[in-house]
mmCIF file of all heavy atoms in Angstrom:
data_model
loop_
_atom_site.group_PDB
_atom_site.id
_atom_site.type_symbol
_atom_site.label_atom_id
_atom_site.label_comp_id
_atom_site.label_asym_id
_atom_site.label_seq_id
_atom_site.Cartn_x
_atom_site.Cartn_y
_atom_site.Cartn_z
ATOM 1 N N ILE A 606 -2.814 97.802 -150.736
ATOM 2 C CA ILE A 606 -2.745 96.397 -150.313
ATOM 3 C C ILE A 606 -4.094 95.792 -150.113
ATOM 4 O O ILE A 606 -4.378 94.680 -150.508
ATOM 5 C CB ILE A 606 -1.769 96.168 -149.133
ATOM 6 C CG1 ILE A 606 -0.296 96.251 -149.498
ATOM 7 C CG2 ILE A 606 -2.028 94.756 -148.454
ATOM 8 C CD1 ILE A 606 0.646 96.301 -148.401
ATOM 9 N N CYS A 607 -4.968 96.555 -149.432
ATOM 10 C CA CYS A 607 -6.321 96.123 -149.205
ATOM 11 C C CYS A 607 -7.073 95.866 -150.534
ATOM 12 O O CYS A 607 -7.708 94.859 -150.744
ATOM 13 C CB CYS A 607 -7.077 97.124 -148.305
ATOM 14 S SG CYS A 607 -8.768 96.682 -148.030
ATOM 15 N N LEU A 608 -6.886 96.864 -151.478
ATOM 16 C CA LEU A 608 -7.536 96.833 -152.863
ATOM 17 C C LEU A 608 -7.007 95.605 -153.599
ATOM 18 O O LEU A 608 -7.812 94.867 -154.144
ATOM 19 C CB LEU A 608 -7.239 98.001 -153.626
ATOM 20 C CG LEU A 608 -7.866 98.284 -154.959
ATOM 21 C CD1 LEU A 608 -9.414 98.348 -154.827
ATOM 22 C CD2 LEU A 608 -7.356 99.466 -155.651
ATOM 23 N N HIS A 609 -5.745 95.265 -153.459
ATOM 24 C CA HIS A 609 -5.153 94.170 -154.244
ATOM 25 C C HIS A 609 -5.609 92.892 -153.577
ATOM 26 O O HIS A 609 -5.816 91.931 -154.309
ATOM 27 C CB HIS A 609 -3.652 94.304 -154.304
ATOM 28 C CG HIS A 609 -3.075 95.145 -155.374
ATOM 29 N ND1 HIS A 609 -2.479 94.739 -156.447
ATOM 30 C CD2 HIS A 609 -3.078 96.534 -155.390
ATOM 31 C CE1 HIS A 609 -2.201 95.766 -157.237
ATOM 32 N NE2 HIS A 609 -2.436 96.913 -156.597
ATOM 33 N N SER A 610 -5.712 92.906 -152.235
ATOM 34 C CA SER A 610 -6.154 91.665 -151.571
ATOM 35 C C SER A 610 -7.605 91.218 -151.982
ATOM 36 O O SER A 610 -7.797 89.998 -152.187
ATOM 37 C CB SER A 610 -6.052 91.877 -150.037
ATOM 38 O OG SER A 610 -4.716 92.110 -149.660
ATOM 39 N N LEU A 611 -8.445 92.256 -152.072
ATOM 40 C CA LEU A 611 -9.794 91.954 -152.465
ATOM 41 C C LEU A 611 -9.973 91.443 -153.875
ATOM 42 O O LEU A 611 -10.713 90.622 -154.265
ATOM 43 C CB LEU A 611 -10.651 93.249 -152.310
ATOM 44 C CG LEU A 611 -11.024 93.555 -150.853
ATOM 45 C CD1 LEU A 611 -11.644 94.962 -150.823
ATOM 46 C CD2 LEU A 611 -12.106 92.644 -150.379
ATOM 47 N N SER A 612 -8.966 91.949 -154.795
ATOM 48 C CA SER A 612 -8.954 91.491 -156.156
ATOM 49 C C SER A 612 -8.539 90.011 -156.258
ATOM 50 O O SER A 612 -8.901 89.276 -157.193
ATOM 51 C CB SER A 612 -8.097 92.376 -157.018
ATOM 52 O OG SER A 612 -6.754 92.134 -156.771
ATOM 53 N N ALA A 613 -7.742 89.587 -155.288
ATOM 54 C CA ALA A 613 -7.157 88.189 -155.306
ATOM 55 C C ALA A 613 -8.075 87.267 -154.442
ATOM 56 O O ALA A 613 -7.716 86.099 -154.271
ATOM 57 C CB ALA A 613 -5.729 88.201 -154.815
ATOM 58 N N ASP A 614 -9.175 87.740 -153.890
ATOM 59 C CA ASP A 614 -9.927 87.026 -152.952
ATOM 60 C C ASP A 614 -10.527 85.759 -153.666
ATOM 61 O O ASP A 614 -11.059 85.903 -154.782
ATOM 62 C CB ASP A 614 -11.032 87.845 -152.346
ATOM 63 C CG ASP A 614 -11.781 87.180 -151.204
ATOM 64 O OD1 ASP A 614 -11.106 86.279 -150.593
ATOM 65 O OD2 ASP A 614 -12.969 87.473 -150.914
ATOM 66 N N CYS A 615 -10.520 84.638 -152.971
ATOM 67 C CA CYS A 615 -11.196 83.453 -153.595
ATOM 68 C C CYS A 615 -11.505 82.479 -152.408
ATOM 69 O O CYS A 615 -10.974 82.648 -151.295
ATOM 70 C CB CYS A 615 -10.231 82.747 -154.494
ATOM 71 S SG CYS A 615 -8.689 82.061 -153.776
ATOM 72 N N GLU A 616 -12.424 81.614 -152.700
ATOM 73 C CA GLU A 616 -12.834 80.633 -151.623
ATOM 74 C C GLU A 616 -11.839 79.567 -151.414
ATOM 75 O O GLU A 616 -11.137 79.120 -152.330
ATOM 76 C CB GLU A 616 -14.154 80.071 -152.015
ATOM 77 C CG GLU A 616 -14.903 79.277 -150.899
ATOM 78 C CD GLU A 616 -16.273 78.793 -151.344
ATOM 79 O OE1 GLU A 616 -16.647 79.146 -152.426
ATOM 80 O OE2 GLU A 616 -16.905 78.209 -150.525
ATOM 81 N N ASN A 617 -11.578 79.161 -150.174
ATOM 82 C CA ASN A 617 -10.779 78.028 -149.793
ATOM 83 C C ASN A 617 -9.210 78.425 -150.214
ATOM 84 O O ASN A 617 -8.501 77.579 -150.663
ATOM 85 C CB ASN A 617 -11.091 76.784 -150.452
ATOM 86 C CG ASN A 617 -12.451 76.318 -150.057
ATOM 87 O OD1 ASN A 617 -12.860 76.450 -148.910
ATOM 88 N ND2 ASN A 617 -13.304 75.813 -150.941
ATOM 89 N N GLY A 618 -8.895 79.610 -149.952
ATOM 90 C CA GLY A 618 -7.444 80.030 -150.177
ATOM 91 C C GLY A 618 -6.905 80.852 -149.104
ATOM 92 O O GLY A 618 -7.665 81.358 -148.204
ATOM 93 N N ASP A 619 -5.612 81.050 -149.040
ATOM 94 C CA ASP A 619 -5.011 82.018 -148.121
ATOM 95 C C ASP A 619 -4.280 83.088 -148.938
ATOM 96 O O ASP A 619 -3.526 82.923 -149.914
ATOM 97 C CB ASP A 619 -3.896 81.280 -147.340
ATOM 98 C CG ASP A 619 -4.502 80.184 -146.371
ATOM 99 O OD1 ASP A 619 -5.458 80.565 -145.630
ATOM 100 O OD2 ASP A 619 -4.033 79.028 -146.439
ATOM 101 N N ILE A 620 -4.533 84.312 -148.440
ATOM 102 C CA ILE A 620 -3.876 85.570 -148.989
ATOM 103 C C ILE A 620 -2.870 85.955 -147.897
ATOM 104 O O ILE A 620 -3.184 86.236 -146.784
ATOM 105 C CB ILE A 620 -4.785 86.706 -149.278
ATOM 106 C CG1 ILE A 620 -5.834 86.239 -150.344
ATOM 107 C CG2 ILE A 620 -4.040 87.910 -149.736
ATOM 108 C CD1 ILE A 620 -6.931 87.327 -150.635
ATOM 109 N N VAL A 621 -1.623 86.087 -148.292
ATOM 110 C CA VAL A 621 -0.497 86.482 -147.393
ATOM 111 C C VAL A 621 -0.021 87.900 -147.773
ATOM 112 O O VAL A 621 0.358 88.051 -149.004
ATOM 113 C CB VAL A 621 0.667 85.466 -147.447
ATOM 114 C CG1 VAL A 621 1.734 85.844 -146.491
ATOM 115 C CG2 VAL A 621 0.165 84.039 -147.010
ATOM 116 N N ILE A 622 0.064 88.743 -146.810
ATOM 117 C CA ILE A 622 0.615 90.121 -147.063
ATOM 118 C C ILE A 622 1.961 90.150 -146.393
ATOM 119 O O ILE A 622 2.071 89.932 -145.206
ATOM 120 C CB ILE A 622 -0.288 91.142 -146.447
ATOM 121 C CG1 ILE A 622 -1.603 91.169 -147.260
ATOM 122 C CG2 ILE A 622 0.285 92.508 -146.523
ATOM 123 C CD1 ILE A 622 -2.707 90.344 -146.704
ATOM 124 N N ARG A 623 2.954 90.409 -147.198
ATOM 125 C CA ARG A 623 4.381 90.521 -146.709
ATOM 126 C C ARG A 623 4.645 91.999 -146.307
ATOM 127 O O ARG A 623 4.854 92.852 -147.299
ATOM 128 C CB ARG A 623 5.403 90.071 -147.727
ATOM 129 C CG ARG A 623 6.796 90.190 -147.381
ATOM 130 C CD ARG A 623 7.146 89.241 -146.246
ATOM 131 N NE ARG A 623 8.645 89.328 -145.981
ATOM 132 C CZ ARG A 623 9.201 89.402 -144.776
ATOM 133 N NH1 ARG A 623 8.361 89.512 -143.770
ATOM 134 N NH2 ARG A 623 10.424 89.403 -144.659
ATOM 135 N N ALA A 624 4.479 92.291 -145.055
ATOM 136 C CA ALA A 624 4.682 93.669 -144.582
ATOM 137 C C ALA A 624 4.850 93.695 -143.027
ATOM 138 O O ALA A 624 4.472 92.649 -142.420
ATOM 139 C CB ALA A 624 3.518 94.571 -145.023
ATOM 140 N N SER A 625 5.339 94.770 -142.514
ATOM 141 C CA SER A 625 5.400 94.940 -141.046
ATOM 142 C C SER A 625 4.958 96.250 -140.673
ATOM 143 O O SER A 625 5.720 97.168 -140.321
ATOM 144 C CB SER A 625 6.832 94.649 -140.560
ATOM 145 O OG SER A 625 7.165 93.226 -140.562
ATOM 146 N N ASP A 626 3.714 96.539 -140.844
ATOM 147 C CA ASP A 626 3.174 97.815 -140.572
ATOM 148 C C ASP A 626 1.791 97.744 -139.827
ATOM 149 O O ASP A 626 0.876 96.999 -140.302
ATOM 150 C CB ASP A 626 2.920 98.685 -141.848
ATOM 151 C CG ASP A 626 2.749 100.084 -141.599
ATOM 152 O OD1 ASP A 626 2.034 100.464 -140.630
ATOM 153 O OD2 ASP A 626 3.139 100.875 -142.518
ATOM 154 N N THR A 627 1.615 98.339 -138.632
ATOM 155 C CA THR A 627 0.412 98.302 -137.878
ATOM 156 C C THR A 627 -0.744 98.869 -138.710
ATOM 157 O O THR A 627 -1.898 98.378 -138.496
ATOM 158 C CB THR A 627 0.612 98.978 -136.539
ATOM 159 O OG1 THR A 627 1.720 98.498 -135.831
ATOM 160 C CG2 THR A 627 -0.634 98.915 -135.667
ATOM 161 N N ASP A 628 -0.443 99.982 -139.447
ATOM 162 C CA ASP A 628 -1.506 100.612 -140.235
ATOM 163 C C ASP A 628 -2.169 99.534 -141.182
ATOM 164 O O ASP A 628 -3.371 99.424 -141.334
ATOM 165 C CB ASP A 628 -0.980 101.694 -141.079
ATOM 166 C CG ASP A 628 -0.485 102.827 -140.331
ATOM 167 O OD1 ASP A 628 -0.521 102.790 -139.036
ATOM 168 O OD2 ASP A 628 0.074 103.792 -140.868
ATOM 169 N N ILE A 629 -1.365 98.624 -141.745
ATOM 170 C CA ILE A 629 -1.907 97.643 -142.794
ATOM 171 C C ILE A 629 -2.768 96.676 -142.012
ATOM 172 O O ILE A 629 -3.881 96.254 -142.416
ATOM 173 C CB ILE A 629 -0.791 96.938 -143.508
ATOM 174 C CG1 ILE A 629 -0.032 97.911 -144.378
ATOM 175 C CG2 ILE A 629 -1.216 95.730 -144.252
ATOM 176 C CD1 ILE A 629 1.276 97.398 -145.037
ATOM 177 N N ALA A 630 -2.345 96.180 -140.823
ATOM 178 C CA ALA A 630 -3.049 95.291 -139.999
ATOM 179 C C ALA A 630 -4.458 95.835 -139.583
ATOM 180 O O ALA A 630 -5.429 95.152 -139.682
ATOM 181 C CB ALA A 630 -2.290 94.929 -138.766
ATOM 182 N N VAL A 631 -4.434 97.144 -139.169
ATOM 183 C CA VAL A 631 -5.648 97.797 -138.860
ATOM 184 C C VAL A 631 -6.683 97.894 -139.953
ATOM 185 O O VAL A 631 -7.832 97.645 -139.900
ATOM 186 C CB VAL A 631 -5.367 99.182 -138.243
ATOM 187 C CG1 VAL A 631 -6.634 100.021 -138.142
ATOM 188 C CG2 VAL A 631 -4.729 99.040 -136.938
ATOM 189 N N ILE A 632 -6.155 98.276 -141.127
ATOM 190 C CA ILE A 632 -7.012 98.324 -142.352
ATOM 191 C C ILE A 632 -7.576 96.966 -142.767
ATOM 192 O O ILE A 632 -8.803 96.861 -143.119
ATOM 193 C CB ILE A 632 -6.205 98.898 -143.547
ATOM 194 C CG1 ILE A 632 -5.783 100.371 -143.303
ATOM 195 C CG2 ILE A 632 -6.968 98.872 -144.920
ATOM 196 C CD1 ILE A 632 -4.783 100.972 -144.212
ATOM 197 N N LEU A 633 -6.710 95.898 -142.737
ATOM 198 C CA LEU A 633 -7.152 94.562 -143.063
ATOM 199 C C LEU A 633 -8.250 94.130 -142.123
ATOM 200 O O LEU A 633 -9.251 93.421 -142.494
ATOM 201 C CB LEU A 633 -5.999 93.604 -143.090
ATOM 202 C CG LEU A 633 -5.054 93.863 -144.208
ATOM 203 C CD1 LEU A 633 -3.828 92.913 -144.082
ATOM 204 C CD2 LEU A 633 -5.683 93.637 -145.613
ATOM 205 N N LEU A 634 -8.125 94.433 -140.732
ATOM 206 C CA LEU A 634 -9.136 94.016 -139.775
ATOM 207 C C LEU A 634 -10.439 94.634 -140.019
ATOM 208 O O LEU A 634 -11.511 94.124 -139.762
ATOM 209 C CB LEU A 634 -8.616 94.263 -138.335
ATOM 210 C CG LEU A 634 -7.498 93.308 -137.898
ATOM 211 C CD1 LEU A 634 -6.870 93.811 -136.608
ATOM 212 C CD2 LEU A 634 -8.055 91.866 -137.606
ATOM 213 N N TYR A 635 -10.367 95.927 -140.479
ATOM 214 C CA TYR A 635 -11.624 96.621 -140.712
ATOM 215 C C TYR A 635 -12.440 95.988 -141.825
ATOM 216 O O TYR A 635 -13.619 95.896 -141.803
ATOM 217 C CB TYR A 635 -11.326 98.091 -140.992
ATOM 218 C CG TYR A 635 -12.544 98.921 -141.317
ATOM 219 C CD1 TYR A 635 -13.299 99.515 -140.287
ATOM 220 C CD2 TYR A 635 -13.020 99.187 -142.538
ATOM 221 C CE1 TYR A 635 -14.355 100.285 -140.488
ATOM 222 C CE2 TYR A 635 -14.088 99.905 -142.851
ATOM 223 C CZ TYR A 635 -14.827 100.508 -141.719
ATOM 224 O OH TYR A 635 -15.971 101.298 -142.050
ATOM 225 N N HIS A 636 -11.693 95.587 -142.945
ATOM 226 C CA HIS A 636 -12.283 94.965 -144.142
ATOM 227 C C HIS A 636 -12.333 93.512 -144.044
ATOM 228 O O HIS A 636 -12.815 92.871 -145.022
ATOM 229 C CB HIS A 636 -11.488 95.500 -145.334
ATOM 230 C CG HIS A 636 -11.582 96.977 -145.609
ATOM 231 N ND1 HIS A 636 -12.616 97.532 -146.247
ATOM 232 C CD2 HIS A 636 -10.712 97.928 -145.257
ATOM 233 C CE1 HIS A 636 -12.458 98.801 -146.318
ATOM 234 N NE2 HIS A 636 -11.295 99.131 -145.711
ATOM 235 N N CYS A 637 -11.888 92.876 -143.078
ATOM 236 C CA CYS A 637 -11.733 91.359 -143.035
ATOM 237 C C CYS A 637 -13.051 90.687 -143.277
ATOM 238 O O CYS A 637 -13.044 89.593 -143.838
ATOM 239 C CB CYS A 637 -11.102 91.003 -141.713
ATOM 240 S SG CYS A 637 -10.626 89.241 -141.633
ATOM 241 N N HIS A 638 -14.162 91.237 -142.830
ATOM 242 C CA HIS A 638 -15.493 90.535 -142.957
ATOM 243 C C HIS A 638 -15.879 90.365 -144.464
ATOM 244 O O HIS A 638 -16.720 89.606 -144.719
ATOM 245 C CB HIS A 638 -16.530 91.312 -142.181
ATOM 246 C CG HIS A 638 -16.812 92.654 -142.786
ATOM 247 N ND1 HIS A 638 -16.050 93.781 -142.593
ATOM 248 C CD2 HIS A 638 -17.873 93.115 -143.638
ATOM 249 C CE1 HIS A 638 -16.549 94.766 -143.247
ATOM 250 N NE2 HIS A 638 -17.660 94.463 -143.895
ATOM 251 N N ARG A 639 -15.261 91.058 -145.348
ATOM 252 C CA ARG A 639 -15.563 91.031 -146.710
ATOM 253 C C ARG A 639 -14.899 89.904 -147.495
ATOM 254 O O ARG A 639 -15.148 89.612 -148.590
ATOM 255 C CB ARG A 639 -15.216 92.361 -147.390
ATOM 256 C CG ARG A 639 -16.020 93.579 -146.803
ATOM 257 C CD ARG A 639 -15.778 94.751 -147.733
ATOM 258 N NE ARG A 639 -16.192 94.517 -149.125
ATOM 259 C CZ ARG A 639 -15.950 95.266 -150.120
ATOM 260 N NH1 ARG A 639 -15.264 96.423 -149.894
ATOM 261 N NH2 ARG A 639 -16.275 94.958 -151.376
ATOM 262 N N PHE A 640 -13.950 89.274 -146.838
ATOM 263 C CA PHE A 640 -13.063 88.309 -147.556
ATOM 264 C C PHE A 640 -13.603 86.873 -147.345
ATOM 265 O O PHE A 640 -13.997 86.436 -146.196
ATOM 266 C CB PHE A 640 -11.647 88.329 -146.997
ATOM 267 C CG PHE A 640 -10.852 89.491 -147.506
ATOM 268 C CD1 PHE A 640 -10.893 90.776 -146.829
ATOM 269 C CD2 PHE A 640 -9.918 89.357 -148.592
ATOM 270 C CE1 PHE A 640 -10.158 91.763 -147.222
ATOM 271 C CE2 PHE A 640 -9.302 90.450 -149.072
ATOM 272 C CZ PHE A 640 -9.351 91.664 -148.333
ATOM 273 N N GLN A 641 -13.536 86.094 -148.407
ATOM 274 C CA GLN A 641 -13.761 84.646 -148.313
ATOM 275 C C GLN A 641 -12.468 83.969 -147.863
ATOM 276 O O GLN A 641 -12.404 82.914 -147.219
ATOM 277 C CB GLN A 641 -14.294 84.064 -149.645
ATOM 278 C CG GLN A 641 -15.615 84.685 -150.152
ATOM 279 C CD GLN A 641 -16.034 84.047 -151.360
ATOM 280 O OE1 GLN A 641 -16.380 82.781 -151.519
ATOM 281 N NE2 GLN A 641 -15.940 84.836 -152.451
ATOM 282 N N SER A 642 -11.340 84.393 -148.425
ATOM 283 C CA SER A 642 -10.028 83.899 -148.061
ATOM 284 C C SER A 642 -9.616 84.234 -146.679
ATOM 285 O O SER A 642 -10.082 85.149 -146.063
ATOM 286 C CB SER A 642 -8.914 84.490 -149.116
ATOM 287 O OG SER A 642 -9.291 84.264 -150.418
ATOM 288 N N ARG A 643 -8.773 83.348 -146.255
ATOM 289 C CA ARG A 643 -8.103 83.675 -144.869
ATOM 290 C C ARG A 643 -6.936 84.657 -145.136
ATOM 291 O O ARG A 643 -6.220 84.476 -146.009
ATOM 292 C CB ARG A 643 -7.531 82.378 -144.145
ATOM 293 C CG ARG A 643 -8.665 81.453 -143.757
ATOM 294 C CD ARG A 643 -8.065 80.080 -143.134
ATOM 295 N NE ARG A 643 -7.407 79.397 -144.090
ATOM 296 C CZ ARG A 643 -7.888 78.497 -144.920
ATOM 297 N NH1 ARG A 643 -9.162 78.313 -144.944
ATOM 298 N NH2 ARG A 643 -7.077 77.819 -145.769
ATOM 299 N N LEU A 644 -6.884 85.604 -144.264
ATOM 300 C CA LEU A 644 -5.900 86.695 -144.327
ATOM 301 C C LEU A 644 -4.700 86.424 -143.401
ATOM 302 O O LEU A 644 -4.983 86.072 -142.151
ATOM 303 C CB LEU A 644 -6.413 88.080 -144.140
ATOM 304 C CG LEU A 644 -7.377 88.659 -145.164
ATOM 305 C CD1 LEU A 644 -7.988 89.981 -144.678
ATOM 306 C CD2 LEU A 644 -6.708 88.811 -146.541
ATOM 307 N N TRP A 645 -3.502 86.536 -143.855
ATOM 308 C CA TRP A 645 -2.321 86.418 -143.058
ATOM 309 C C TRP A 645 -1.332 87.565 -143.318
ATOM 310 O O TRP A 645 -1.370 88.190 -144.458
ATOM 311 C CB TRP A 645 -1.586 85.087 -143.413
ATOM 312 C CG TRP A 645 -2.371 83.878 -143.224
ATOM 313 C CD1 TRP A 645 -3.317 83.337 -144.047
ATOM 314 C CD2 TRP A 645 -2.318 82.927 -142.111
ATOM 315 N NE1 TRP A 645 -3.868 82.186 -143.495
ATOM 316 C CE2 TRP A 645 -3.241 81.947 -142.346
ATOM 317 C CE3 TRP A 645 -1.545 82.924 -140.985
ATOM 318 C CZ2 TRP A 645 -3.395 80.853 -141.479
ATOM 319 C CZ3 TRP A 645 -1.737 81.857 -140.015
ATOM 320 C CH2 TRP A 645 -2.633 80.892 -140.317
ATOM 321 N N MET A 646 -0.531 87.774 -142.351
ATOM 322 C CA MET A 646 0.559 88.778 -142.536
ATOM 323 C C MET A 646 1.856 88.058 -142.278
ATOM 324 O O MET A 646 2.016 87.324 -141.341
ATOM 325 C CB MET A 646 0.486 89.981 -141.669
ATOM 326 C CG MET A 646 -0.619 90.945 -142.041
ATOM 327 S SD MET A 646 -0.685 92.542 -141.026
ATOM 328 C CE MET A 646 0.857 93.316 -141.578
#
Side-chain angles (χ1 to χ4, degrees):
I606 284 172
C607 180
L608 183 66
H609 279 256
S610 299
L611 283 166
S612 74
D614 190 26
C615 65
E616 194 173 359
N617 299 322
D619 293 309
I620 298 175
V621 178
I622 293 92
R623 177 70 174 131
S625 285
D626 194 325
T627 305
D628 295 359
I629 295 173
V631 167
I632 294 169
L633 291 175
L634 285 167
Y635 180 85
H636 293 277
C637 191
H638 67 281
R639 300 191 53 194
F640 285 85
Q641 299 181 69
S642 303
R643 290 180 296 275
L644 291 178
W645 300 79
M646 287 186 70

